[in-house]
């Protein structure tokens, strides 16, 4: 059996993606007043979250049989990551649109702007995958508020 790769050499593409996000975070302009995110930025962030969601789903599926406790934690992280992607999608639609028509979600057509802005189609496809494995109760955001 081959030995596992050294941590510095393990998963180079994932490490590169992490480094890219770290670099992007540092490179965000620090203007006064701060410039809000635009729709293109949220579209790219949503793409990253949904791809990470798919990766976490695969990792949870392969981990769960051998290590049920770890699999449950990964499944919880999977759900929370979906909730994050859904919140980014919602924020996308609250930002001003380049066209004055509407900011509603229409996954059946391309959103305004370049064809790279495909957040609604991506969100719809990811949502179908989530609903096959998750119950509506699991998808409700958890609150930590004390109920009296």
């Amino acid at each position: 059996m081959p030995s596992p790769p050294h941590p510095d050499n393990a998963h180079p593409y994932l490490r590169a993606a992490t480094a890219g996000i770290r670099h992007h975070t540092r490179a965000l302009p620090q203007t006064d007043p701060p410039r809000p995110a635009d729709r293109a930025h949220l579209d790219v962030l949503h793409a990253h979250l949904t791809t990470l969601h798919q990766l976490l789903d695969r990792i949870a599926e392969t981990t769960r049989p051998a290590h049920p406790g770890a699999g449950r934690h990964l499944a919880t992280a999977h759900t929370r990551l979906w909730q994050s992607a859904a919140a980014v999608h919602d924020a996308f639609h609250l930002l001003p649109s380049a066209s004055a028509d509407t900011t509603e979600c229409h996954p059946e057509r391309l959103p305004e702007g370049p064809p790279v802005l495909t957040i609604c189609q991506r969100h719809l496809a990811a949502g179908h995958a989530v609903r096959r494995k998750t119950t509506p109760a699991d998808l409700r955001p958890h609150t930590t508020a004390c109920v009296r």
Side-chain angles (χ1 to χ4, degrees), residues 130-147:
V130 166
R131 284 188 287 285
R132 281 195 306 265
K133 295 184 175 190
T134 314
T135 67
D138 291 337
L139 294 177
R140 276 190 221 106
H142 299 284
T143 59
T144 56
C146 181
V147 179

Side-chain angles (χ1 to χ4, degrees), residues 88-115:
V88 169
H89 176 256
D90 294 344
F92 175 90
H93 287 292
L94 292 175
L95 290 176
S97 172
S99 67
D101 295 350
T102 182
T103 58
E104 293 178 18
C105 185
H106 292 284
E108 72 280 358
R109 66 177 194 223
L110 285 175
E112 74 287 340

Side-chain angles (χ1 to χ4, degrees), residues 46-83:
H46 186 269
H48 181 77
L49 287 170
T50 54
T51 302
L52 189 56
H53 181 260
Q54 291 171 345
L55 175 63
L56 194 54
D57 182 41
R58 286 190 181 181
I59 291 171
E61 286 294 316
T62 59
T63 302
R64 191 174 295 124
H67 306 284
R72 280 191 299 276
H73 282 286
L74 291 172
T76 299
H78 178 258
T79 299
R80 302 264 169 84
L81 196 53
W82 168 251
Q83 291 166 341

Side-chain angles (χ1 to χ4, degrees), residues 11-63:
H11 313 290
Y13 295 117
L14 195 53
R15 293 172 59 81
T18 302
I21 290 172
R22 191 177 311 119
H23 174 75
H24 180 74
T25 301
R26 288 185 198 134
L28 283 174
Q30 300 295 324
T31 60
D32 192 29
R35 202 175 75 202
D38 59 10
R39 288 181 134 206
H41 203 174
L42 293 186
D43 181 60
V44 173
L45 184 58
H46 186 269
H48 181 77
L49 287 170
T50 54
T51 302
L52 189 56
H53 181 260
Q54 291 171 345
L55 175 63
L56 194 54
D57 182 41
R58 286 190 181 181
I59 291 171
E61 286 294 316
T62 59
T63 302

